[in-house]
Amino acid sequence: MIFRMLFSQLVEYYEKIEATTSRIEMTNLLVELLKKSPQEVIDKIVYLTIGEIYPPFIGIELGVADKLALRAVKLVSGQSEKLVKEEYGKLGDIGLVGEKLLQRRSQITLHMKELTVQEVYQSLEKIAKTTGEGAMDTKVQILVGLLSSATPKEAKYILRIVTGKLRLGIADMTILDALAILYGGGKEARELFERAYNITSDIGYVAKIAVSEGLEGIKNVKITIGRPIRPMLAERLSSAEEILSKMGGVCIAEYKYDGERMQIHKKGNEVIIFSRRQENITSQYPDVVKIVKEGITADTAILECEAVAIDRETGDVLPFQELMHRKRKHEIDKAVEEYPVSLYFFDVLYVDGKDLTLQPLEERRRILEQIVKISDRVNLSKAIITDNSLELERFFHEAVELGCEGLVVKSLGREAIYRAGARGWLWIKYKRDYKSEMIDTVDLVVVGAFHGRGRRSGKYGALLMAAYDPERDVFPSVCKVGSGFTDEDLEKLPMILDQYKIAHRHARVETGMEAEIWFEPKLVLEIIGAEITLSPIHRAGWNLIKEDTGLAIRFPRFTGRYRFDKAPEDATTIKELLDMYNSQLKKIVETPIS
């Protein structure tokens, strides 16, 4: 028997979640929602709640622009195009526009059939899969049909989902908390749910297993070719001595290549390439597909490598920015010819049916050496095993001289497993920028903005930036940045950030500063500053150094680099900021930051 859930029930929870500024309340509401969700549609409810219809690696997105959605609102509401545009100009939220205008035809909807979650999901799925000639008109027709059966409140959320602007702020980690509470007996089971998610990258699939098979099913989730594994991440330290001490006196150090991290899945003659954000980027790298078919001897395998742009004439490594030319959707063959890549493999996670993530690094490296055929375009990451800080320092300088960012230093021993989706001290980044007080950049998330004045009138004058605290799944503020932006940046930032605008501080944002505009934490920017100091206003590392103070970046400046390749949860962590603060060569003078 198929159990259904009315879309109106889902919308009731969305309203409550949107209104809260408490992460605990948000999680509790999510637990209630999932508890009421039928097994048959729980995966779809989870996808919709994070504003998706599929996990990212499927590569199918809704792709409905506001302009197209407004067309559908006009047709359903019967209002003029002029009025629809005026309301959009005033409200700036496609969902609120739809809700307001559809209220005017509410009388004729009283006797309509109620929408179910399944029906809404199927319609959105059709919109996402519609391609080719006339696709835009077809998408509008499907959306019109859906909105015609929706109440104004339902229309608000349908329009937000279809345009990618749901703004609930529910992330995968929040859903894992709720699943652990509901199906694992409490948050102590979170690690098992997180492991299942980290090796499948599919939160809907994990929810489906949880409701149908319980905790035992979660424990038995396996690695599968075609489902990306969430990448292991590194902490950072500032000296060879510190790193060796943290590693217990001995380590393996590898070049940190300045390229695009890839996770490559091979099954027979089929090759799939995933980015560090689990997006399928196979179509951008047909040359890599060919290289892997020829260079990897295992029949089935999941490997990690860094794809590095190389000079066609000299074979020298080129900067990461050169790989941006490979992001184009057209003239791929031309891009392959003009911007060739070499692959440097550094890990193997799965080979011929065997999960290697729980094997120590030395064993994984041994297997990697067996299945990779070295050529002019395929190699292993250059590495040394050392217990000598001077040798590690020399190797570091060698890497930098050859165009690398520095080193990734990794732990040896039985504990050195591959911790999918986790950041920890088993891997440590060692980059040249750590040589003095905050020459290194940090990746921070935009959470708020302040109106510009004078020459910046009508634009954003400054942005409120936050780091990420993975322990509590929140984004504490660390600085207010107004320097480093070009005129072009000032023009395009409002356009980029408009889709993330919300009415109040986000439930996952912590700050003592009151922004004039608030955003859902989504956009990651690269920031540099003079030093990290103490602050009574910013909440990063609150109370960890001194009571009633947090960490702040003094004299922050935007480097010009938009980190679209990073999810907000990939931003610089509180631990990293604390380590940078503690390792600054000059004693920090406590300076309040405003």
Side-chain angles (χ1 to χ4, degrees):
M1 181 178 179
I2 299 294
F3 294 92
R4 66 182 201 141
M5 184 178 189
L6 294 177
F7 189 62
S8 59
Q9 292 176 273
L10 189 55
V11 164
E12 283 178 23
Y13 279 97
Y14 287 177
E15 287 280 286
K16 292 174 185 175
I17 290 167
E18 187 180 352
T20 186
T21 59
S22 164
R23 190 180 183 281
I24 293 172
E25 186 183 351
M26 179 187 282
T27 304
N28 290 338
L29 287 167
L30 197 52
V31 170
E32 282 183 36
L33 170 60
L34 295 178
K35 190 173 184 178
K36 292 180 181 178
S37 301
Q39 178 177 324
E40 291 75 15
V41 292
I42 192 168
D43 54 338
K44 296 170 178 57
I45 287 169
V46 165
Y47 293 138
L48 292 175
T49 303
I50 57 175
E52 299 173 354
I53 54 168
Y54 295 114
F57 64 84
I58 299 296
I60 299 176
E61 298 177 351
L62 283 159
V64 175
D66 283 11
K67 189 175 179 182
L68 219 59
L70 289 171
R71 230 170 91 192
V73 171
K74 171 186 172 296
L75 292 169
V76 176
S77 67
Q79 305 299 318
S80 68
E81 184 176 347
K82 182 184 177 187
L83 178 64
V84 173
K85 284 184 177 178
E86 283 176 358
E87 290 296 340
Y88 183 60
K90 281 190 271 184
L91 297 171
D93 181 334
I94 187 73
L96 294 178
V97 173
E99 180 183 29
K100 182 176 180 178
L101 296 183
L102 265 62
Q103 282 171 346
R104 300 184 183 183
R105 48 112 242 197
S106 58
Q107 293 89 339
I108 63 169
T109 67
L110 292 175
H111 303 292
M112 291 191 315
K113 185 185 76 165
E114 292 182 295
L115 283 172
T116 66
V117 169
Q118 185 80 3
E119 288 165 343
V120 172
Y121 182 87
Q122 286 174 345
S123 294
L124 295 176
E125 195 174 33
K126 285 178 186 174
I127 290 171
K129 290 183 175 179
T130 299
T131 57
E133 192 176 345
M136 293 301 107
D137 289 337
T138 304
K139 287 176 186 280
V140 171
Q141 288 168 14
I142 298 168
L143 185 54
V144 165
L146 188 55
L147 294 175
S148 298
S149 299
T151 65
K153 198 67 75 178
E154 289 172 337
K156 176 170 80 171
Y157 289 100
I158 288 169
L159 287 163
R160 284 179 175 177
I161 291 169
V162 83
T163 55
K165 298 172 182 176
L166 183 56
R167 303 177 182 181
L168 289 183
I170 297 287
D172 295 342
M173 295 303 138
T174 319
I175 288 173
L176 288 175
D177 278 341
L179 289 172
I181 292 167
L182 193 55
Y183 299 107
K187 279 194 176 182
E188 59 272 13
R190 158 70 181 270
E191 191 174 329
L192 294 171
F193 285 82
E194 196 166 346
R195 162 76 180 170
Y197 172 57
N198 285 337
I199 63 172
T200 63
S201 299
D202 188 342
I203 196 72
Y205 173 76
V206 173
K208 194 90 169 176
I209 294 293
V211 73
S212 60
E213 300 178 32
L215 195 56
E216 283 307 307
I218 291 296
K219 290 176 182 176
N220 291 324
V221 169
K222 306 293 184 191
I223 290 173
T224 307
I225 296 286
R227 286 185 185 274
I229 298 166
R230 297 183 74 231
M232 183 170 173
L233 304 171
E235 289 285 359
R236 63 175 88 190
L237 283 176
S238 59
S239 75
E241 291 82 2
E242 283 182 287
I243 290 170
L244 274 175
S245 175
K246 198 75 175 179
M247 292 290 178
V250 64
C251 66
I252 179 170
E254 302 174 351
Y255 279 7
K256 188 180 190 307
Y257 297 93
D258 190 15
E260 177 161 24
R261 184 172 178 175
M262 292 178 172
Q263 186 178 117
I264 297 178
H265 291 224
K266 178 180 183 285
K267 185 177 182 180
N269 225 25
E270 182 186 6
V271 174
I272 308 170
I273 307 167
F274 295 109
S275 71
R276 62 173 287 151
R277 293 192 68 175
Q278 296 87 59
E279 296 162 330
N280 189 327
I281 55 172
T282 312
S283 62
Q284 297 168 20
Y285 292 98
D287 50 337
V288 172
V289 171
K290 184 181 178 188
I291 290 168
V292 169
K293 286 179 183 178
E294 296 172 353
I296 304 300
T297 60
D299 183 56
T300 59
I302 299 176
L303 310 100
E304 283 201 296
C305 71
E306 201 78 20
V308 180
I310 54 171
D311 188 303
R312 286 184 301 165
E313 304 298 324
T314 65
D316 290 342
V317 171
L318 297 175
F320 171 77
Q321 282 74 12
E322 295 298 317
L323 279 179
M324 292 302 98
H325 300 286
R326 298 297 296 267
K327 299 297 181 185
R328 61 176 69 163
K329 293 183 179 179
H330 307 290
E331 297 185 318
I332 299 294
D333 291 342
K334 185 178 178 182
V336 169
E337 176 63 27
E338 292 180 353
Y339 306 98
V341 297
S342 284
L343 306 183
Y344 292 91
F345 287 93
F346 60 84
D347 219 326
V348 57
L349 314 181
Y350 179 90
V351 168
D352 295 334
K354 186 178 180 183
D355 178 355
L356 300 177
T357 61
L358 300 178
Q359 296 295 315
L361 176 60
E362 278 189 291
E363 175 66 8
R364 301 199 308 274
R365 182 85 185 191
R366 185 185 64 78
I367 293 171
L368 191 63
E369 291 169 354
Q370 292 174 352
I371 64 173
V372 173
K373 287 166 61 179
I374 307 300
S375 69
D376 60 338
R377 301 286 291 278
V378 177
N379 216 320
L380 300 179
S381 59
K382 186 168 182 181
I384 62 167
I385 293 175
T386 183
D387 60 359
N388 185 294
S389 61
L390 292 177
E391 184 180 27
L392 184 59
E393 186 77 13
R394 281 195 297 270
F395 192 57
F396 163 78
H397 287 298
E398 176 189 303
V400 169
E401 188 177 345
L402 292 173
C404 297
E405 293 184 293
L407 303 177
V408 178
V409 185
K410 300 178 179 180
S411 176
L412 296 169
R414 300 303 303 176
E415 79 285 354
I417 62 171
Y418 188 93
R419 298 186 64 230
R423 187 189 302 275
W425 293 108
L426 295 177
W427 290 9
I428 298 173
K429 287 183 289 188
Y430 181 24
K431 293 166 67 176
R432 59 177 168 175
D433 294 336
Y434 304 161
K435 286 301 178 181
S436 65
E437 45 186 286
M438 208 179 169
I439 295 175
D440 187 31
T441 59
V442 289
D443 296 315
L444 302 177
V445 187
V446 181
V447 296
F450 302 83
H451 295 300
R453 289 160 182 79
R455 195 171 66 87
R456 293 191 182 183
S457 181
K459 304 180 180 70
Y460 297 142
L463 301 177
L464 182 61
M465 308 299 296
Y468 180 54
D469 184 347
E471 298 295 323
R472 297 184 300 121
D473 191 28
V474 293
F475 295 89
S477 71
V478 71
C479 66
K480 174 184 174 183
V481 61
S483 299
F485 299 104
T486 64
D487 289 342
E488 183 183 354
D489 291 323
L490 295 173
E491 287 293 335
K492 72 181 181 182
L493 273 167
M495 292 185 282
I496 295 171
L497 288 166
D498 185 63
Q499 60 186 309
Y500 307 130
K501 196 181 293 183
I502 53 178
H504 52 69
R505 177 184 57 78
H506 195 278
R508 295 167 70 205
V509 170
E510 296 180 344
T511 183
M513 186 171 280
E514 193 61 37
E516 293 172 330
I517 304 153
W518 293 104
F519 302 111
E520 185 180 359
K522 286 288 185 181
L523 178 65
V524 181
L525 302 181
E526 190 179 78
I527 303 295
I528 188 70
E531 63 182 11
I532 298 174
T533 186
L534 299 179
S535 165
I537 296 170
H538 293 292
R539 294 297 186 260
W542 192 248
N543 287 334
L544 295 180
I545 298 289
K546 185 180 176 183
E547 190 174 347
D548 293 330
T549 60
L551 295 174
I553 295 173
R554 192 175 181 218
F555 303 131
R557 176 173 54 83
F558 176 48
T559 67
R561 193 174 185 190
Y562 296 80
R563 296 309 306 261
F564 296 119
D565 60 317
K566 288 199 171 188
E569 288 79 11
D570 292 329
T572 296
T573 65
I574 300 305
K575 280 186 178 179
E576 290 178 284
L577 288 175
L578 282 167
D579 292 337
M580 292 170 76
Y581 174 82
N582 289 326
S583 66
Q584 284 175 158
L585 301 182
K586 187 177 76 174
K587 181 176 172 61
I588 299 295
V589 177
E590 184 180 336
T591 306
I593 299 295
S594 61

